[in-house]
Amino acid sequence: MNSPTNIGVFDSGIGGITVLRALARKFPEENFVYLGDTARLPYGAKSPTTIRKYTEQNLKFLMTKNVKAMVIACNSASTQWSEPLFENTPVFNVIQPGARAALARSSELRIGVLGTRATIESKSYELALKSLNPDVQVFSQASPLLVHLAEEGWIDDPVTNLIVYRYLQPLLSQRIDTLILGCTHYPILQNSIQRVTGQQVELVDSGEALAEDLEQAFVAGRIKRSENPTRSISFYCTDNAETFATLARRLLKDDGIDFENFEMADLQDIR
Amino acid sequence: MNSPTNIGVFDSGIGGITVLRALARKFPEENFVYLGDTARLPYGAKSPTTIRKYTEQNLKFLMTKNVKAMVIACNSASTQWSEPLFENTPVFNVIQPGARAALARSSELRIGVLGTRATIESKSYELALKSLNPDVQVFSQASPLLVHLAEEGWIDDPVTNLIVYRYLQPLLSQRIDTLILGCTHYPILQNSIQRVTGQQVELVDSGEALAEDLEQAFVAGRIKRSENPTRSISFYCTDNAETFATLARRLLKDDGIDFENFEMADLQDIR
């Protein structure tokens, strides 16, 4: 039996493609398998128990795709899976790298977190930040409408600016100097968010920070580097395949990533 | 074996409670079983295939609860189930009654429809209206953000007014005289919607119109009236039980409806 060769990545939908893109750029020789659980999104309004169950099903699905490591791109799912292994395969989530990146950029140690209701209620970022530096002050805000504004395509829109302003006002009044974009959808609204915060607030995209964790795992030998220089990326989603493919192609078009290997996944078979 | 005694009602979540309330008021001696599929909401952004699959699972679940009739309160699900029977049990959906009620109130036969993306793309209301009166003109608008504004509780809010205005502007410029609220969440935003349309536009809540269809089925003998005057209502949801119960209690508190019979449902067992 050959040893597993792929890095699995899953998100509740399309947002995690930005995470995949960051990983694909940093590791041009690695093979990836991406799963977007579009039938069951959004995760951010679901209960911890349900998010955990869906996360396990998604990891089980990826395990059928010959993976040597798995990445939970979805922040809401990341809050419900902190274990380093799933059936002996390394699992990475976005919380720790996001917290580290925020602390590295923050001069005043006043850090804001925007996320789904599930992510904010879990206090995962707050705990991760304080375990890394007990002096940090964390100000969190659930901002569930932002996911839907991003999905509606109301980007750089006056209504979006107004809603972003309402969510951010309590954080800005606390004089945050750094803001964690704690949901894979939020980088899509980055312009609107930065306009409201002003340039003096650093925005942190947890997905980008995650690539560092993988690099460390390669260096430490926890994951074997790919021996095959012709890389492949396969895509799976659970619903709305056409919308998913259109958006994914748009997000990946400048990276020359092949979009041939695209299939529907039936997670009901994975339990 | 006793003949079935309950009327089953399902919705993707909490919105259908307003439909249940209308039915419970009209039929004070009937027993009801309500299912809110809160784990998989919203339905309105899913594909027709997935909505149909979930609808079948929900109907199958209700069939295990001794039902003599079933009501699809969710508009998105109603567009994917037009059959009058499921396993020999009568099924009612909100499209036909909503269309009839709108035509009854419209003087100029210029009718607007607000709905989820799934509902609008199905053209179900348009087809139902035109089959009832070929002279009607129908103007449809998908307004997916309204579900999330209602769930966020941003009711009677300037941001909500602004978004309602944006969605309604194309319909108002067509001089509609009647507007179908084609999603169980929209009646929650009725004040905001009526403020934008002005009083000269009639708002139609499909759920309310549905009770008439059931009454006709009773009169025609398609469904047997309850012989038990002490009625019971049971509630099931698939996730976020606490939030569901709080909202349901609030919506039902003035009707003196007992909320004792409340359980979680695992639809994964129903396939």
Side-chain angles (χ1 to χ4, degrees):
Chain A
M1 193 185 134
N2 292 328
S3 56
T5 55
N6 297 318
I7 298 174
V9 179
F10 89 80
D11 186 44
S12 62
I14 195 74
I17 292 282
T18 58
V19 177
L20 172 74
R21 186 174 57 185
L23 296 175
R25 283 176 186 168
K26 191 164 174 83
F27 307 111
E29 289 174 1
E30 296 296 333
N31 299 322
F32 293 90
V33 178
Y34 183 91
L35 168 65
D37 190 9
T38 42
R40 305 191 291 194
L41 72 79
Y43 280 19
K46 301 191 200 304
S47 68
T49 313
T50 296
I51 296 172
R52 171 91 183 182
K53 186 171 80 180
Y54 289 179
T55 299
E56 285 181 8
Q57 289 173 352
N58 294 342
L59 293 173
K60 272 188 198 165
F61 175 83
L62 290 174
M63 286 296 285
T64 68
K65 302 300 170 192
N66 195 32
V67 289
K68 60 186 176 186
M70 295 185 283
V71 168
I72 303 177
C74 175
N75 285 260
S76 303
S78 288
T79 68
Q80 300 306 320
W81 190 277
S82 53
E83 296 93 316
L85 295 174
F86 180 88
E87 294 174 4
N88 292 320
T89 299
V91 177
F92 298 82
N93 75 48
V94 289
I95 307 295
Q96 279 289 328
R100 266 205 323 276
L103 283 169
R105 295 200 210 165
S106 173
S107 50
E108 305 294 326
L109 293 179
R110 301 182 72 83
I111 297 179
V113 183
L114 278 188
T116 64
R117 204 179 303 284
T119 296
I120 298 305
E121 286 178 0
S122 76
K123 297 191 189 298
S124 294
Y125 275 114
E126 194 171 339
L127 294 169
L129 287 162
K130 294 205 162 161
S131 76
L132 291 166
N133 186 335
D135 294 332
V136 70
Q137 288 198 274
V138 184
F139 307 94
S140 299
Q141 175 66 48
S143 41
L145 284 172
L146 299 190
V147 167
H148 307 291
L149 289 163
E151 281 179 3
E152 265 288 81
W154 290 15
I155 321 284
D156 269 327
D157 185 293
V159 167
T160 302
N161 293 343
L162 205 62
I163 293 175
V164 167
Y165 180 81
R166 188 178 295 185
Y167 283 136
L168 280 179
Q169 193 46 45
L171 304 185
L172 294 174
S173 73
Q174 294 291 343
R175 292 168 288 109
I176 57 165
D177 66 351
T178 304
L179 177 65
I180 295 177
L181 304 179
C183 171
T184 52
H185 281 84
Y186 298 172
I188 299 169
L189 303 176
Q190 183 147 356
N191 286 349
S192 188
I193 293 169
Q194 191 86 72
R195 187 172 303 122
V196 170
T197 62
Q199 292 297 329
Q200 72 280 12
V201 174
E202 293 268 350
L203 303 188
V204 175
D205 177 348
S206 297
E208 284 182 12
L210 175 83
E212 293 302 325
D213 274 25
L214 254 87
E215 178 61 25
Q216 284 176 22
F218 280 125
V219 171
R222 278 184 71 213
I223 320 171
K224 255 181 87 175
R225 291 198 193 265
S226 171
E227 289 164 3
N228 180 359
T230 49
R231 79 119 142 256
S232 79
I233 305 186
S234 306
F235 296 89
Y236 296 86
C237 74
T238 53
D239 198 15
N240 284 322
E242 215 171 302
T243 312
F244 178 85
T246 305
L247 286 168
R249 277 204 188 89
R250 193 183 306 161
L251 285 168
L252 295 170
K253 72 175 178 338
D254 294 335
D255 288 73
I257 290 173
D258 181 14
F259 206 80
E260 295 300 301
N261 298 312
F262 179 56
E263 283 175 50
M264 292 295 289
D266 191 346
L267 294 178
Q268 297 222 333
D269 298 336
I270 307 285
R271 291 198 285 161
Chain B
M1 193 184 134
N2 292 329
S3 55
T5 55
N6 298 318
I7 298 174
V9 180
F10 88 80
D11 185 45
S12 61
I14 195 74
I17 291 282
T18 59
V19 177
L20 171 75
R21 187 173 58 185
L23 296 175
R25 284 175 185 168
K26 192 167 173 81
F27 307 110
E29 290 174 0
E30 296 296 334
N31 300 321
F32 293 91
V33 178
Y34 183 90
L35 169 65
D37 189 9
T38 43
R40 305 191 291 194
L41 72 80
Y43 280 19
K46 300 191 201 305
S47 69
T49 313
T50 296
I51 296 171
R52 171 91 182 180
K53 187 171 79 179
Y54 289 178
T55 299
E56 284 181 8
Q57 290 173 351
N58 295 341
L59 293 174
K60 272 188 198 167
F61 174 82
L62 290 174
M63 286 296 285
T64 67
K65 303 298 170 192
N66 194 32
V67 289
K68 60 186 176 186
M70 295 185 282
V71 168
I72 303 177
C74 174
N75 286 260
S76 304
S78 288
T79 67
Q80 299 307 319
W81 190 277
S82 52
E83 296 92 317
L85 295 173
F86 180 87
E87 293 175 4
N88 292 320
T89 299
V91 177
F92 298 82
N93 75 49
V94 289
I95 307 295
Q96 280 289 328
R100 265 205 324 277
L103 283 169
R105 296 200 207 164
S106 173
S107 51
E108 305 295 327
L109 293 179
R110 301 181 73 83
I111 297 179
V113 183
L114 278 188
T116 63
R117 204 180 302 285
T119 297
I120 297 305
E121 286 177 0
S122 76
K123 296 190 192 297
S124 294
Y125 275 113
E126 194 171 339
L127 294 168
L129 287 162
K130 294 207 162 161
S131 76
L132 291 166
N133 187 336
D135 295 333
V136 70
Q137 289 199 273
V138 185
F139 308 94
S140 300
Q141 176 67 49
S143 42
L145 285 171
L146 299 190
V147 168
H148 307 292
L149 289 163
E151 282 179 3
E152 265 288 82
W154 290 15
I155 322 284
D156 269 328
D157 184 293
V159 167
T160 302
N161 293 344
L162 204 62
I163 293 176
V164 167
Y165 180 81
R166 188 178 295 184
Y167 282 136
L168 279 178
Q169 193 45 45
L171 304 184
L172 294 174
S173 73
Q174 294 291 342
R175 293 166 290 108
I176 57 165
D177 67 351
T178 305
L179 177 64
I180 295 176
L181 304 180
C183 171
T184 52
H185 281 84
Y186 298 173
I188 299 169
L189 304 176
Q190 183 147 355
N191 286 349
S192 187
I193 293 170
Q194 191 84 72
R195 187 172 301 122
V196 170
T197 62
Q199 292 297 329
Q200 72 280 13
V201 174
E202 292 267 351
L203 303 188
V204 174
D205 176 348
S206 297
E208 284 182 11
L210 175 83
E212 292 303 325
D213 274 26
L214 253 87
E215 177 61 27
Q216 284 176 22
F218 280 125
V219 170
R222 278 184 71 212
I223 322 172
K224 257 181 87 175
R225 291 200 193 264
S226 172
E227 289 164 4
N228 180 1
T230 48
R231 79 118 144 259
S232 79
I233 305 186
S234 306
F235 296 89
Y236 296 85
C237 73
T238 53
D239 198 17
N240 283 322
E242 215 173 300
T243 313
F244 178 84
T246 306
L247 286 167
R249 277 203 189 89
R250 193 183 305 161
L251 284 168
L252 295 169
K253 74 174 176 339
D254 294 335
D255 288 73
I257 290 173
D258 181 15
F259 205 80
E260 296 299 301
N261 298 312
F262 179 57
E263 284 175 49
M264 292 296 289
D266 191 347
L267 295 177
Q268 297 223 334
D269 297 335
I270 308 284
R271 292 199 286 161

